[in-house]
């Protein structure tokens, strides 16, 4: 209620452009810098940290002041890897587990006991990591769906731009898409954005009954207009070129005040999100940080092929989003 009152005041006294820029990040380094500057250092728990990648991530995050770590796995392997990396095992809390599945269960229990702020996947499959997370009795559910945020920095865009969901839902229903938008909006509020701007991407910018995605995009826009998705601006259906370029929007006479300035792109399915994100990274010189939201704490699920910088940025994003459902 207070947020809505504050937003009403802003609407009366500021332009749309001024309202939307109360807080926004231009680069992922800004996210990293803010995470490091927080007065309370956060703590992550790494499930099955029996590999050099996990140890490198934990030690670098500690060194940079991003977050401390609880390491779960084989104590002998973890201690040896820390020694090889020139680190002391005494500097970390190490919890013993025999299997990847047990590590995941223990990591979830650590979160439930309030001993860590977010969860990181170590040397185990994503399905092994998420199985105890979604357990209805002992997991980390909030009643929301889990969705993935890919926060991207592009040389050709003036600020960070987020894709959702390119990692969790193959073909989300319209109700699931609404939940995905809610997750993204809540995350952006946690980052400090007062009015996150969401574009519901489709191939065209008009409603076509033969293209269900366009019908659903309009329904989501109307739902947001009724205030059901939180304090945000949602436009859909809208094509990628119009969403990302104000001049193209004007040329096509598209009615939308935030074209060329969106924060979040809601994609119609996992294929769109996956291809768009990879094309940005591989062909457009983009970098990104990804995190799963919708549960009690953020979950970092990075690829082993990801660079150390990408992993650290994902940790920084998780740090800033920790506590968003508190």
């Amino acid at each position: 209620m207070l947020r809505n009152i504050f937003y009403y005041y802003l609407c009366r006294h500021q332009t749309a452009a001024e309202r939307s820029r109360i807080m926004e990040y231009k680069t992922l380094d800004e996210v990293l810098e803010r995470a490091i500057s927080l007065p309370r250092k956060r703590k992550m728990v790494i499930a099955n940290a029996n590999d050099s990648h996990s140890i490198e991530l934990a030690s670098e995050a500690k060194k940079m002041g991003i977050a401390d770590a609880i390491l779960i796995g084989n104590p002998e392997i973890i201690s040896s890897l820390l020694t090889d990396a020139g680190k002391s095992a005494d500097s970390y809390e190490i919890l013993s587990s025999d299997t990847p599945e047990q590590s995941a269960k223990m990591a979830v229990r650590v979160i439930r006991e309030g001993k860590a702020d977010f969860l990181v996947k170590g040397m185990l499959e994503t399905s092994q990591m998420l199985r105890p997370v979604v357990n209805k009795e002992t997991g980390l559910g909030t009643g929301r769906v889990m969705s993935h945020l890919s926060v991207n920095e592009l040389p050709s865009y003036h600020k960070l731009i987020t894709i959702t969901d390119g990692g969790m839902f193959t073909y989300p229903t319209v109700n699931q898409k609404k939940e995905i938008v809610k997750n993204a909006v809540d995350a952006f509020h946690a980052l400090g954005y007062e009015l996150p701007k969401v574009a519901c991407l489709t191939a065209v910018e008009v409603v076509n009954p033969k293209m269900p995605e366009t019908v659903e995009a309009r329904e989501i826009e109307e739902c947001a207009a009724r205030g059901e998705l939180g304090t945000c601006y949602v436009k859909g259906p809208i094509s990628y070129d119009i969403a990302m370029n104000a001049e193209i929007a004007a040329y096509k006479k598209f009615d939308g005040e935030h074209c060329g300035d969106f924060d979040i792109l809601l994609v119609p399915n996992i294929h769109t999100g996956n291809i768009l994100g990879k094309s940005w990274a591989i062909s457009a010189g983009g970098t990104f940080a990804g995190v799963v939201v919708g549960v009690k704490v953020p979950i970092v699920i990075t690829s082993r092929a990801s660079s150390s910088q990408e992993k650290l940025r994902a940790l920084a994003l998780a740090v800033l989003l920790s506590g968003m459902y508190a």
Side-chain angles (χ1 to χ4, degrees):
M1 173 63 91
L2 290 176
R3 176 176 284 160
N4 289 336
I5 292 173
F6 180 54
Y7 175 55
Y8 174 76
Y9 175 84
L10 289 173
C11 290
R12 292 289 301 273
H13 293 84
Q14 294 179 297
T15 67
E18 290 171 334
R19 290 199 306 270
S20 68
R21 288 187 170 80
I22 292 175
M23 166 70 80
E24 63 181 26
Y25 291 90
K26 309 293 186 184
T27 68
L28 287 169
D29 280 343
E30 290 179 6
V31 173
L32 188 63
E33 290 164 5
R34 186 181 171 207
I36 293 171
S37 72
L38 293 179
R40 180 180 75 84
K41 185 181 290 188
R42 302 304 197 263
K43 183 173 286 187
M44 59 181 161
V45 54
I46 303 182
N48 214 48
N50 295 336
D51 65 312
S52 59
H53 295 278
S54 297
I55 299 306
E56 178 187 10
L57 186 63
S59 60
E60 192 65 20
K62 185 179 183 68
K63 175 183 176 182
M64 294 182 65
I66 299 171
D68 288 324
I70 297 174
L71 307 175
I72 300 179
N74 184 305
E76 293 183 1
I77 293 176
I78 292 174
S79 296
S80 177
L81 289 169
L82 285 168
T83 299
D84 290 344
K87 308 297 180 182
S88 171
D90 294 335
S91 300
Y92 296 87
E93 181 177 355
I94 302 173
L95 302 180
S96 177
S97 70
D98 297 323
T99 66
E101 291 83 3
Q102 185 183 20
S103 291
K105 290 179 181 179
M106 290 178 65
V108 169
R109 186 165 67 245
V110 166
I111 295 293
R112 287 177 63 90
E113 293 173 351
K115 297 178 180 178
D117 300 290
F118 61 97
L119 183 58
V120 180
K121 182 177 82 75
M123 195 174 67
L124 72 171
E125 298 297 326
T126 299
S127 60
Q128 292 175 316
M129 181 72 263
L130 295 181
R131 197 168 293 121
V133 170
V134 301
N135 185 288
K136 292 183 179 180
E137 296 181 358
T138 60
L140 303 177
T142 61
R144 306 279 283 270
V145 304
M146 283 194 301
S147 55
H148 185 265
L149 300 178
S150 175
V151 181
N152 298 263
E153 179 182 334
L154 299 175
S156 60
Y157 202 64
H158 61 288
K159 60 178 177 177
L160 297 183
I161 181 76
T162 293
I163 299 171
T164 193
D165 173 285
M168 302 297 292
F169 286 94
T170 308
Y171 295 101
T173 66
V174 65
N175 287 331
Q176 288 170 336
K177 288 178 181 178
K178 291 175 185 178
E179 289 292 313
I180 290 169
V181 171
K182 284 183 184 179
N183 284 347
V185 168
D186 283 351
F188 270 70
H189 287 316
L191 290 173
Y193 288 66
E194 186 64 30
L195 184 68
K197 300 179 289 297
V198 184
C200 300
L201 292 187
T202 56
V204 297
E205 62 273 10
V206 295
V207 175
N208 183 342
K210 294 182 179 181
M211 303 173 73
E213 295 83 0
T214 66
V215 178
E216 293 174 355
R218 180 55 51 82
E219 181 177 339
I220 295 167
E221 178 188 301
E222 293 171 349
C223 185
R226 294 192 296 269
E228 297 173 12
L229 304 182
T231 304
C232 60
Y233 171 89
V234 177
K235 193 67 178 178
I238 185 169
S239 58
Y240 177 87
D241 57 340
I242 288 177
M244 297 294 286
N245 191 297
E247 293 182 0
I248 293 175
Y251 178 78
K252 292 188 175 182
K253 297 181 172 56
F254 183 81
D255 183 19
E257 61 175 320
H258 293 299
C259 293
D261 195 41
F262 283 102
D263 303 298
I264 301 161
L265 304 181
L266 174 70
V267 294
N269 54 57
I270 195 172
H271 307 291
T272 305
N274 184 282
I275 294 168
L276 180 58
K278 288 179 178 177
S279 66
W280 281 352
I282 294 172
S283 303
T287 56
F288 73 97
V291 66
V292 173
V293 294
V295 287
K296 290 181 180 178
V297 298
I299 304 175
V300 177
I301 303 176
T302 58
S303 167
R304 291 172 65 86
S306 298
S307 68
S308 59
Q309 192 68 7
E310 286 176 353
K311 294 175 182 177
L312 289 171
R313 287 165 172 168
L315 293 186
L317 181 60
V319 164
L320 298 186
L321 296 181
S322 62
M324 62 183 286
Y325 294 120

